[in-house]
Amino acid sequence: MIAKRAEEIKDELTEIRRTLHRIPETDFTEFKTSEYIQGKLREYGIPFEIKAVTGISALIEGTRGGKTVLLRADMDGLPIKEESGVDFASENEGYMHACGHDIHAACLLGAAKILNEMRDSLCGNVRLIFQPAEEGMGGALPMIEEGIMENPHVDGAFALHGEPLEKVGNIQIKDGSVMASPDDYEIIIHGIGGHGAYPEKCVNPLSVGAAILEKYHTLSRDYNLPCVVTICSFNGGSCRNAVPDTAVLTGTARSLDPVTRKRLIELLEKTAQETAKDMGASVEFNFNVLFPPVINSAEMNKIVSASAKKLGLGIVHLESASMAGDDFAYFGERVPSAYFKLGVGNKEIGACYPIHSPKFKADENALPIGAALMAQTAVDFLNERQTCVN
């Protein structure tokens, strides 16, 4: 019934996705996006509240009491100039939906429509979250802090993410750590500047930075840590014949569990401080703790797998986690959760570029699949985890 209904609303889902694709917005400025989604929820007769500036928290209350499941879709775009060539390309110059959040929102709206139509048979409640700012500042935690996990209390959470390198009809799942913590850091190196003709009278912060860079690139191997450390910018100096006083390194440090994360922060600072001291310089080390790693519940993944099988989908078990991050992690810290990937790839139509590519495309045949899977997982979670209250 759910798969059939999702296919029946495919044209509507496509229209929703394309409308959202034209209006990408970022970091708590998703006003047009939010207004459009609010309009669809009103059309479906689903009550909602605004949270964290542009976020939307809606609730479908089943007529048979029970527990509550949360379904989340992020809805922000990226500051990337679109080069996809689609005829519904971004109308917001310099911005695009290069990560498929328009797809996520469309799938959740489709699931919302289906679940609301079957609310008389729902054994509990469904909390629908349309979240801002996943790509940057993070909208999950502000929404949680504004109470979206209570009244009614949320017992479990699901989220999907489009994957253009996986074909339509497949989903990807993994138990345990599935996404990394995407933390970043800044190192300000203080040396002694002077004339480039007399380097022996200087302490060149660029040389210090180069030494730190070399050590960072072997840090995961040297300490046998499952992590990624990358220096992404190296700035210092403005004159061809003068050694600068300072240089600045910035980068990202990604880990898959809290223990590794703590150890990594300690090693990054220790390495920078000791390297600088040995070379006669000093550093200011600033570490920016962002989202925690996304850690899937094996039991919640079983529900996703069972739901996918009911819908005739292929299941791909990932062997390794992604070192990208997602603030869905904050939901997973509070309740059992599952974050899975929806295949949206199709080489024949050019839907084969990775996320965050300016050429990103998606096969829209995945839209009813995503909507059906979100709806089915919600129903199966509620049915499996509780006895209905009549």
Side-chain angles (χ1 to χ4, degrees), residues 109-131:
L109 280 171
K113 184 169 188 172
I114 294 167
L115 290 166
N116 197 51
E117 290 173 351
M118 55 187 296
R119 60 188 298 269
D120 286 347
S121 63
L122 283 183
C123 194
N125 311 303
V126 182
R127 174 71 70 186
L128 309 164
I129 298 299
F130 296 88
Q131 182 208 304

Side-chain angles (χ1 to χ4, degrees), residues 70-368:
L70 182 149
L71 304 179
R72 175 269 211 168
D74 38 17
M75 60 181 188
D76 54 319
L78 283 159
I80 294 174
K81 181 177 174 60
E82 183 159 6
E83 298 175 10
S84 67
V86 297
D87 58 10
F88 51 91
S90 170
E91 296 172 0
N92 189 2
E93 184 67 21
Y95 295 85
M96 76 171 287
H97 272 295
C99 200
H101 295 189
D102 52 335
I103 296 167
H104 307 166
C107 288
L108 185 53
L109 280 171
K113 184 169 188 172
I114 294 167
L115 290 166
N116 197 51
E117 290 173 351
M118 55 187 296
R119 60 188 298 269
D120 286 347
S121 63
L122 283 183
C123 194
N125 311 303
V126 182
R127 174 71 70 186
L128 309 164
I129 298 299
F130 296 88
Q131 182 208 304
E134 185 278 326
E135 294 288 359
M137 298 167 66
L141 189 56
M143 291 191 76
I144 290 169
E145 290 173 341
E146 290 188 24
I148 63 170
M149 304 288 283
E150 300 300 332
N151 300 316
H153 173 75
V154 170
D155 300 288
F158 296 99
L160 65 74
H161 198 295
E163 177 48 73
L165 304 183
E166 184 64 65
K167 67 180 182 179
V168 173
N170 284 352
I171 64 159
Q172 297 177 347
I173 60 173
K174 181 183 179 299
D175 291 346
S177 298
V178 66
M179 300 284 277
S181 51
D183 303 326
D184 59 53
Y185 57 86
E186 175 190 64
I187 304 168
I188 304 171
I189 305 165
H190 298 283
I192 300 174
H195 200 294
Y198 310 108
E200 71 279 3
K201 297 180 180 180
C202 307
V203 175
N204 193 333
L206 299 175
S207 298
V208 177
I212 293 172
L213 184 151
E214 281 296 314
K215 292 181 180 180
Y216 275 16
H217 281 179
T218 62
L219 188 144
S220 63
R221 183 184 67 216
D222 294 343
Y223 292 92
N224 194 28
L225 283 178
C227 65
V228 167
V229 177
T230 307
I231 289 179
C232 299
S233 73
F234 190 169
N235 298 295
S238 59
C239 182
R240 292 186 180 183
N241 63 352
V243 173
D245 285 316
T246 62
V248 180
L249 299 177
T250 66
T252 186
R254 297 173 179 248
S255 50
L256 295 169
D257 64 83
V259 174
T260 301
R261 190 186 201 188
K262 183 176 183 294
R263 177 66 172 146
L264 181 59
I265 296 170
E266 294 169 350
L267 286 172
L268 289 172
E269 180 166 17
K270 180 173 182 279
T271 300
Q273 296 284 5
E274 291 182 351
T275 302
K277 183 179 179 180
D278 289 345
M279 299 177 72
S282 63
V283 299
E284 297 174 52
F285 181 83
N286 302 306
F287 195 88
N288 186 24
V289 175
L290 295 172
F291 319 144
V294 179
I295 301 176
N296 277 346
S297 157
E299 289 302 311
M300 296 293 277
N301 266 349
K302 288 179 182 178
I303 294 173
V304 175
S305 295
S307 300
K309 288 177 181 177
K310 289 179 183 178
L311 299 172
L313 304 180
I315 300 170
V316 177
H317 293 274
L318 296 175
E319 294 183 1
S320 58
S322 167
M323 297 310 287
D326 194 302
D327 66 347
F328 181 72
Y330 288 115
F331 296 104
E333 283 190 326
R334 288 159 173 81
V335 295
S337 67
Y339 178 99
F340 55 93
K341 297 186 178 181
L342 172 74
V344 299
N346 183 343
K347 290 183 179 179
E348 293 182 3
I349 64 170
C352 55
Y353 294 95
I355 56 174
H356 291 217
S357 166
K359 294 181 171 62
F360 173 86
K361 291 183 184 179
D363 187 336
E364 292 174 330
N365 287 313
L367 292 170

